[in-house]
Amino acid sequence: MLSGKTVLLGVTGGIAAYKVCELIRMYKRANAEVLVVCTPNALNFVTKLTLQNLSKNPVAVEEFDVKDFNPEHISYADRADIMVIAPATANTISKIAQGVCDNLLTSIACAFTKPVIIAPAMNCNMWENPVLQENLNKLHYEILEPESGYLACGYEGKGRLCALEKIFDKTVELLNFKPLNGKKIVITSGGTIEDIDPVRYISNYSSGKMGLALADVAKNLGADVTLITTKDVSRKYNVIKVKSALDMKAAVEKEFDSANCIIMAAAVADYRVKEISQQKMKKTSDDEISLTLVKNPDILKELCTRKKACPPDLLPSCPMIVGFCAESENLLENAKEKISRKGCDYLIANDISRKDIGFSSDYNEVTILDKNGGTKKLERADKRTIARRIFEEIYG
Ligand code: PMT
């Protein structure tokens, strides 16, 4: 399954380090070349000799252990097809998220441009620490969340390294499954911001997580990705920051001719303030004030109209157009009406009245509608899994 592929396994200093001995055997059985790099602390839990014997390669630990006059972090980053960090401690995750390169493993991760899998394992309180979660969110990697159970530290909770099969399967999936190779995918995300005056605006609760998950997954599936977002995002693919619906419309329209697929996951404001005050609006003695709102263009609908106007011979080169549909009631009924009104190829319907999915949540549950009347429900899962399933469905 992994013939001709090189897996770079990064091992950090946690008790679960002993488990990766079996993971190396799994990779070897699948004919992968395995390179192992350890943090110095990892070797308190597992020996270099064991890792070396199992991987049939020298184990790298310290930088400046230079061979062939190549800086080791760059040559490792170049040689491997994928990097798998397991177990990943809170310390190493946070360092990578902050761009700290104080050992060989973190230096390689910083220089690595191909897919990276992170399988964290730690005490449950460390896992729940908001700073760690914030750092994890900064990484555009495949995160295989720890499992719940008894932990080596004596606690019971979420923190155990996930099943090795899960890490192995994800490795195979990322290395072999590149259905979006050669495709340019444009994704919008976040809530648009419609200014009222220099200090106030109208917006919504979209965090941009769904669009970001789609963009990260598309990148891992081999696509050339452009993310048009209202949020601050730092990624190695093309990110265009926009603010208002009008900015977003201009940015999306520019991409139309070169895109194979446009996915509108952004929550676009339907209305904007008619006249933005140039100065901060003053409080008056009136108990009520009125703002006049004007309709924003419907970007999705206009894209679909542009596609429909394409001469038949040019239609195959027009992008597939996918909308999202945020509903707080009658989800399917409203989504069916919306797909026929807007005319997109697919519409992904999600219920934004639920707290455990949709707006701002790390999870979603969606129904995919296609233009021929077909529907497919994707059960609740983290947004990356939902994103992957959406690509499987639309490019299946
Ligand atoms: O960002 P998160 O916190 O992760 O939340 C994700 C999400 C709930 C925002 C996302 O999954 C979602 O549902 N996005 C669409 C939100 C929305 O605007 O839905 P809508 O039903 O109002 O619009 C339907 C479609 O038309 C959407 O693709 C929207 O981008 C598009 N639209 C809407 C209005 C407008 N003026 N122009 C548009 O293009």
Side-chain angles (χ1 to χ4, degrees):
M1 260 191 291
L2 295 175
S3 282
K5 301 290 183 193
T6 300
V7 177
L8 175 57
L9 180 64
V11 188
T12 73
I15 181 69
Y18 78 92
K19 294 186 181 172
V20 300
C21 297
E22 185 53 32
L23 183 61
I24 298 174
R25 285 163 61 95
M26 291 164 84
Y27 288 138
K28 294 299 282 183
R29 277 199 295 270
N31 290 328
E33 175 81 348
V34 181
L35 304 174
V36 181
V37 55
C38 292
T39 61
N41 277 334
L43 296 180
N44 291 322
F45 296 94
V46 64
T47 74
K48 206 171 179 178
L49 193 64
T50 310
L51 298 170
Q52 218 155 269
N53 271 296
L54 292 171
S55 67
K56 310 270 179 274
N57 269 313
V59 170
V61 185
E62 295 297 353
E63 213 155 350
F64 309 116
D65 204 6
V66 181
K67 299 184 186 65
D68 303 332
F69 307 102
N70 275 326
E72 203 145 56
H73 60 293
I74 304 299
S75 69
Y76 266 70
D78 287 348
R79 278 169 69 193
D81 299 294
I82 191 164
M83 184 169 189
V84 179
I85 306 180
T89 57
N91 181 44
T92 292
I93 291 168
S94 298
K95 284 199 277 193
I96 296 172
Q98 300 297 333
V100 174
C101 304
D102 65 343
N103 61 37
L104 184 57
L105 191 154
T106 51
S107 305
I108 294 173
C110 193
F112 206 75
T113 55
K114 286 159 266 183
V116 178
I117 297 173
I118 293 210
M122 63 196 70
N123 164 271
C124 50
N125 292 336
M126 292 173 84
W127 171 251
E128 276 160 22
N129 186 312
V131 176
L132 175 80
Q133 290 300 323
E134 204 179 306
N135 283 330
L136 272 168
N137 278 334
K138 287 203 175 102
L139 296 171
H140 57 288
Y141 301 148
E142 284 289 340
I143 313 287
L144 299 179
E145 292 203 0
E147 290 170 3
S148 296
Y150 285 107
L151 306 177
C153 55
Y155 279 72
E156 194 177 348
K158 193 168 175 181
R160 282 161 58 148
L161 183 70
C162 69
L164 299 180
E165 291 72 24
K166 209 168 170 182
I167 306 176
F168 179 82
D169 287 352
K170 185 59 76 182
T171 311
V172 173
E173 184 186 325
L174 290 184
L175 285 175
N176 294 339
F177 186 60
K178 294 281 178 199
L180 302 185
N181 251 344
K183 296 206 188 307
K184 176 167 174 181
I185 313 267
V186 176
I187 295 157
T188 66
S189 82
T192 60
I193 296 170
E194 312 297 333
D195 279 341
I196 297 173
D197 69 9
V199 291
R200 303 170 182 103
Y201 59 84
I202 298 173
S203 192
N204 57 64
Y205 292 113
S206 168
S207 62
K209 287 180 185 175
M210 189 65 243
L212 187 60
L214 284 157
D216 286 350
V217 167
K219 175 73 188 161
N220 278 340
L221 296 179
D224 168 10
V225 173
T226 293
L227 176 67
I228 298 171
T229 178
T230 59
K231 304 289 173 187
D232 285 319
V233 171
S234 160
R235 289 293 191 268
K236 285 181 181 153
Y237 47 75
N238 187 26
V239 177
I240 300 172
K241 174 104 191 268
V242 293
K243 190 172 172 188
S244 65
L246 292 180
D247 296 342
M248 185 169 277
K249 172 174 153 51
V252 176
E253 282 179 351
K254 248 192 211 162
E255 304 294 326
F256 185 91
D257 286 332
S258 59
N260 297 100
C261 176
I262 301 177
I263 306 180
M264 293 286 302
V268 183
D270 287 322
Y271 293 89
R272 67 180 185 279
V273 176
K274 188 172 182 186
E275 272 171 37
I276 301 170
S277 169
Q278 294 310 305
Q279 305 301 331
K280 182 183 172 195
M281 289 165 68
K282 297 272 180 250
K283 187 153 64 177
T284 67
S285 54
D286 297 335
D287 284 342
E288 289 183 2
I289 59 161
S290 299
L291 289 172
T292 304
L293 303 182
V294 291
K295 219 177 207 161
N296 267 328
D298 188 326
I299 309 171
L300 179 65
K301 194 167 176 201
E302 289 190 14
L303 293 174
C304 298
T305 307
R306 184 165 164 186
K307 181 170 171 176
K308 276 190 199 121
C310 264
D313 54 323
L314 292 182
L315 204 57
S317 59
C318 279
M320 179 193 312
I321 299 179
V322 182
F324 264 75
C325 168
E327 297 296 337
S328 56
E329 56 181 351
N330 305 327
L331 182 68
L332 269 188
E333 200 182 307
N334 288 336
K336 281 179 185 161
E337 184 277 323
K338 218 170 251 182
I339 191 170
S340 75
R341 179 162 46 85
K342 301 220 182 197
C344 45
D345 297 298
Y346 292 94
L347 191 72
I348 320 290
N350 48 196
D351 182 344
I352 42 94
S353 68
R354 280 173 55 181
K355 291 277 168 283
D356 63 331
I357 57 164
F359 271 143
S360 294
S361 169
D362 289 329
Y363 295 83
N364 213 350
E365 179 181 297
V366 303
T367 300
I368 304 177
L369 288 82
D370 67 49
K371 60 182 177 193
N372 302 318
T375 58
K376 169 108 192 183
K377 184 167 180 198
L378 304 183
E379 295 301 337
R380 182 177 181 273
D382 62 274
K383 282 184 173 167
R384 270 172 173 264
T385 304
I386 293 288
R388 184 176 296 281
R389 297 285 316 281
I390 289 172
F391 286 118
E392 279 168 17
E393 287 301 323
I394 67 179
Y395 279 108

